[in-house]
Amino acid sequence: MATTDHVDVLIVGAGLSGVGAACHLRRNCPEKTYAVLEARGAIGGTWDLFRYPGIRSDSDMFTLGYSFRPWTNPKAIADGPAIREYVRETAREYGVTEHIRFHHRVVRAEWDSTTARWTVHAHRTDTGEDVRLTCSFLHTCAGYYRYDEGYTPDLPGADRFTGRIVHPQHWPDDLDHAGKRIVVIGSGATAVTLVPALAEQAAHVTMLQRSPTYVMALPSRDVVAGALRRVLPERAVYPLVRWKNVLLATANFQLSRRAPTLVKRLLRRAARGRLPVGYDVDRHFSPRYDPWDQRLCVVPDGDLFAAIRRGRASIVTDTIETVTETGVRLASGEQLAADVIVTATGLNLLALGDTVLTVDGEDVDPAATVAYKGMMLSGVPNFAMTIGYTNASWTLKADLVATYVCRLLAHLDRTGQQVVTPLPPPDGDLHPIIDLTAGYVLRSVDALPRQGARAPWRLYQNYPRDVLLMRYGRLTDQGVRFSRAGTPERSTVRA
Ligand SMILES: Cc1cc2nc3c(=O)[nH]c(=O)nc-3n(C[C@H](O)[C@H](O)[C@H](O)COP(=O)(O)OP(=O)(O)OC[C@H]3O[C@@H](n4cnc5c(N)ncnc54)[C@H](O)[C@@H]3O)c2cc1C
């Protein structure tokens, strides 16, 4: 076991959120010492891991970019390598890179109330060594899904298939898809990204979905940003376009929740306008659920619709009876011939990067905790986690969480206290933390923390409201207790 070092703040994960959290510390609490522990050997998280053809954002970079560092690339819907480079450059510019300890997988963190410190255990994935650090505040930015394995449902007959079956989370370097017949199983963001990208060189791409998803075309370049850039400096353009996009996305979400029939009709009409005459829009693009019961898929410049129009790609809505030696047989009896099958069937959700937390010797069951302001857990002192929005860009929330952590640290210093512990809501009215009905959410939501029925325990998924709550709202409210080191936490009821 290596010797123990101590830092004021320990950040877990060097993805978009962890790098952002470190930059906020650097900007707002420059006197605090910190380290970032990253399990992999690279910066960027999701944007370094996913390498499938066409990998891109599906939200605009004016809101997926950091509040403090303008996105200057003309493409608002950006490709994966450009986002990875943006995160890396940000880390370099803010001096974060040298604080990252790569190949350190955090496995356990133990809070001790008498010393008001976390002891964090990490396993070195390069040397096999176990490392121990202590910190006063632990901030987990470990994303929300398993890195080692994407989700693949049981595909009957898959072992007979003579071609290749690949998952987008582990795209093989040696896969040449040119001239191949490809079946992409899935209907989410990854499937709608992959299909037009593969269709550029493949013989044909079929997107095979059990049920449709709402798909909306958006311009890949922001015309307002383009116009403003001609007359204003980048520093002025970025916040203006960021707020324009926040307000448009918030209005879109609110309208979808209040007038779902109208929004369904608008989405259907927009899709029909981009598809060939006589195309069965209802079968392939009209889900049974309401918009935003599941995430809406964005396609830049309507690339998916264009691939269908040109005959390079098609959509089949059916269920798989079995995979055969040469493709897929469907419940309707139709056969889809394939050289490659891509299982764009999703992720396995994972809370807190699989880190076991203990408080004064007792294990914390995340499912028995309640999220406070969507970023701390009841009964878990000096701990924050970054989980982004499900209906808007992840970074909007990540920036607010990082700012709030800095506010909390400053408040503790100012008041001569060392410990901040969220409390569960007194009314005990609890709900799932994610209110989407997508399969990947329903599969895992019971293992995640819950939320309360009202603020500060309720996630409203509303950025303007969260700006008021987290950037300007009171730090001392009924949901949190500040104290000095030495007060045991054992008495705190978690949920
Ligand atoms: C294909 C894809 C496309 C997406 N597109 C968008 C989009 O357009 N807009 C949007 O808002 N969101 C999108 N998302 C969600 C996306 O994950 C977030 O935008 C963002 O990248 C999350 O950043 P993060 O740093 O919180 O997590 P991640 O990117 O997952 O990074 C987490 C980091 O933590 C490390 N880590 C995890 N556990 C541990 C541990 N125990 N110890 C040490 N290190 C650990 C990981 O190795 C990783 O580097 C997308 C997700 C996927 C999978």
Side-chain angles (χ1 to χ4, degrees):
M1 179 87 62
T3 47
T4 308
D5 325 291
H6 180 79
V7 286
D8 294 325
V9 182
L10 189 76
I11 297 169
V12 182
L16 195 57
S17 306
V19 167
C23 294
H24 279 280
L25 274 179
R26 183 59 214 285
R27 287 161 51 91
N28 301 323
C29 317
E31 73 291 352
K32 296 284 175 201
T33 56
Y34 74 91
V36 182
L37 298 191
E38 167 53 55
R40 301 175 71 239
I43 293 177
T46 298
W47 303 105
D48 184 69
L49 177 75
F50 278 82
R51 301 290 176 121
Y52 59 77
I55 170 76
R56 59 163 173 79
S57 66
D58 60 1
S59 56
D60 70 281
M61 290 306 299
F62 291 92
T63 54
L64 192 59
Y66 299 113
S67 55
F68 55 86
R69 187 163 185 272
W71 173 260
T72 53
N73 186 315
K75 274 194 151 180
I77 306 274
D79 60 46
I83 303 174
R84 181 171 69 230
E85 203 37 46
Y86 171 78
V87 179
R88 281 190 191 160
E89 270 176 28
T90 307
R92 251 193 314 270
E93 191 176 308
Y94 284 82
V96 170
T97 314
E98 48 269 32
H99 290 262
I100 302 174
R101 303 188 195 181
F102 292 104
H103 302 291
H104 281 64
R105 172 182 304 288
V106 174
V107 289
R108 190 175 174 84
E110 296 159 347
W111 171 258
D112 174 18
S113 294
T114 47
T115 55
R117 283 188 172 185
W118 286 99
T119 300
V120 176
H121 299 261
H123 178 71
R124 283 200 66 154
T125 52
D126 51 352
T127 61
E129 195 186 357
D130 289 323
V131 179
R132 205 170 56 193
L133 273 89
T134 59
C135 65
S136 304
F137 197 98
L138 179 64
H139 186 171
T140 293
C141 297
Y144 63 104
Y145 62 90
R146 269 177 69 170
Y147 266 58
D148 57 341
E149 198 176 54
Y151 175 71
T152 310
D154 188 32
L155 293 175
D159 46 354
R160 292 192 268 168
F161 184 58
T162 52
R164 283 180 86 165
I165 300 182
V166 298
H167 193 286
Q169 193 166 326
H170 310 282
W171 197 265
D173 290 340
D174 64 340
L175 179 63
D176 176 12
H177 64 274
K180 303 260 169 44
R181 296 161 303 174
I182 306 175
V183 171
V184 176
I185 302 173
S187 60
T190 301
V192 304
T193 302
L194 264 168
V195 169
L198 293 172
E200 284 173 19
Q201 291 178 27
H204 189 81
V205 184
T206 307
M207 182 166 125
L208 171 58
Q209 57 181 16
R210 204 167 35 189
S211 56
T213 300
Y214 290 107
V215 179
M216 182 170 73
L218 279 186
S220 60
R221 286 167 194 253
D222 192 303
V223 283
V224 174
L228 288 176
R229 277 182 176 135
R230 284 197 280 279
V231 289
L232 290 175
E234 199 61 56
R235 290 252 153 226
V237 172
Y238 188 64
L240 286 175
V241 179
R242 189 175 167 89
W243 269 105
K244 176 207 53 120
N245 290 356
V246 162
L247 295 175
L248 279 176
T250 309
N252 169 327
F253 181 75
Q254 293 300 336
L255 186 67
S256 300
R257 298 325 273 165
R258 283 154 208 240
T261 314
L262 170 70
V263 174
K264 269 181 181 178
R265 226 181 16 243
L266 293 173
L267 287 168
R268 185 183 178 283
R269 187 185 303 165
R272 199 180 55 200
R274 288 177 174 268
L275 287 162
V277 177
Y279 190 87
D280 195 346
V281 180
D282 289 332
R283 183 168 175 77
H284 303 307
F285 285 100
S286 299
R288 280 182 294 261
Y289 59 82
D290 284 341
W292 284 114
D293 281 352
Q294 298 187 18
R295 271 186 87 119
L296 209 128
C297 286
V298 165
V299 288
D301 305 319
D303 60 1
L304 174 70
F305 299 117
I308 295 171
R309 231 175 24 242
R310 287 202 301 270
R312 313 266 330 148
S314 46
I315 298 188
V316 170
T317 306
D318 206 330
T319 43
I320 297 174
E321 188 185 282
T322 183
V323 176
T324 65
E325 286 77 2
T326 54
V328 182
R329 189 164 67 235
L330 302 172
S332 62
E334 191 184 345
Q335 306 262 358
L336 299 176
D339 305 305
V340 178
I341 295 175
V342 181
T343 50
T345 40
L347 309 162
N348 285 305
L349 291 196
L350 183 68
L352 312 177
D354 220 12
T355 303
V356 175
L357 301 179
T358 71
V359 173
D360 293 335
E362 272 180 38
D363 278 12
V364 175
D365 171 8
T369 63
V370 186
Y372 168 78
K373 294 184 176 163
M375 57 162 286
M376 296 174 85
L377 296 178
S378 57
V380 185
N382 291 18
F383 173 83
M385 57 180 186
T386 293
I387 307 282
Y389 292 117
T390 51
N391 65 346
S393 279
W394 181 279
T395 320
L396 292 171
K397 183 68 184 279
D399 271 335
L400 289 179
V401 171
T403 310
Y404 199 83
V405 167
C406 293
R407 289 185 67 203
L408 280 177
L409 296 174
H411 179 82
L412 289 170
D413 287 350
R414 216 173 27 245
T415 55
Q417 300 178 96
Q418 292 78 37
V419 185
V420 49
T421 312
L423 306 169
D427 61 10
D429 188 0
L430 301 178
H431 302 266
I433 196 159
I434 310 178
D435 64 354
L436 295 178
T437 60
Y440 73 97
V441 174
L442 297 178
R443 275 197 304 276
S444 319
V445 77
D446 287 346
L448 302 179
R450 284 171 289 167
Q451 63 171 316
R454 61 196 164 80
W457 298 276
R458 163 109 192 258
L459 276 86
Y460 289 95
Q461 299 286 348
N462 182 319
Y463 176 71
R465 191 174 180 148
D466 281 349
V467 167
L468 295 177
L469 180 75
M470 298 178 72
R471 207 177 280 163
Y472 305 108
R474 282 178 48 197
L475 292 166
T476 48
D477 61 28
Q478 51 167 337
V480 78
R481 184 181 63 211
F482 289 90
S483 57
R484 291 183 201 282
T487 320
E489 290 300 332
R490 220 174 277 253
S491 57
T492 307
V493 184
R494 294 219 169 86

